[in-house]
Amino acid sequence: MKKNFPLQAEGKHPDRVLEAVKHEIRKYFKRERNRAVPKGVDFWDFDCKVGLSADTAEVVRVSAVIEAVDVAAKSGASSVYVEILSKHGVRVLKAQDQGDAVAHFDDLNNA
């Protein structure tokens, strides 16, 4: 999704417009996460950018997209640009976790 959301609409309270924007973003995340995952992929990951325009958009984490939209709204901006691109995510086990799992498995076999 690459979209420029207006934060001010005639005849509507700015807080309601902001809530509608946040709802649409959350709905997009939910819809993308519910898609079938291809073979060899563990989950859907996202590349996110938020800014006042496409040129000034900065990379943010998924968990910070809504906060970034709030900051733009509080700054008095008339619109906010949000870019969310889904990508394949593969879980990577940390070396320490793998060692603990092997040690635990060995303990079970020896018991």
Side-chain angles (χ1 to χ4, degrees):
M1 166 184 16
K2 295 180 182 181
K3 191 168 182 181
N4 198 10
F5 291 98
L7 295 175
Q8 298 171 357
E10 190 173 328
K12 294 185 180 179
H13 194 276
D15 291 343
R16 300 297 75 81
V17 175
L18 179 61
E19 288 301 317
V21 169
K22 289 192 235 178
H23 175 72
E24 189 170 338
I25 292 169
R26 289 182 184 116
K27 189 167 68 169
Y28 181 79
F29 277 127
K30 184 177 180 180
R31 183 175 43 231
E32 288 296 305
R33 284 185 178 124
N34 286 333
R35 285 187 5 211
V37 183
K39 192 173 188 177
V41 176
D42 294 323
F43 61 95
W44 288 108
D45 197 8
F46 301 95
D47 289 329
C48 306
K49 289 184 181 182
V50 178
L52 299 179
S53 69
D55 298 332
T56 62
E58 296 181 7
V59 175
V60 294
R61 299 182 71 169
V62 173
S63 60
V65 171
I66 299 297
E67 294 169 10
V69 171
D70 277 336
V71 169
K74 286 186 182 8
S75 71
S78 61
S79 65
V80 63
Y81 175 78
V82 178
E83 180 178 317
I84 303 170
L85 302 174
S86 60
K87 63 180 182 179
H88 299 153
V90 179
R91 295 201 194 302
V92 178
L93 294 176
K94 294 179 183 176
Q96 179 184 6
D97 293 341
Q98 290 175 349
D100 292 344
V102 170
H104 180 69
F105 182 71
D106 287 341
D107 291 342
L108 291 175
N109 286 337
N110 294 332

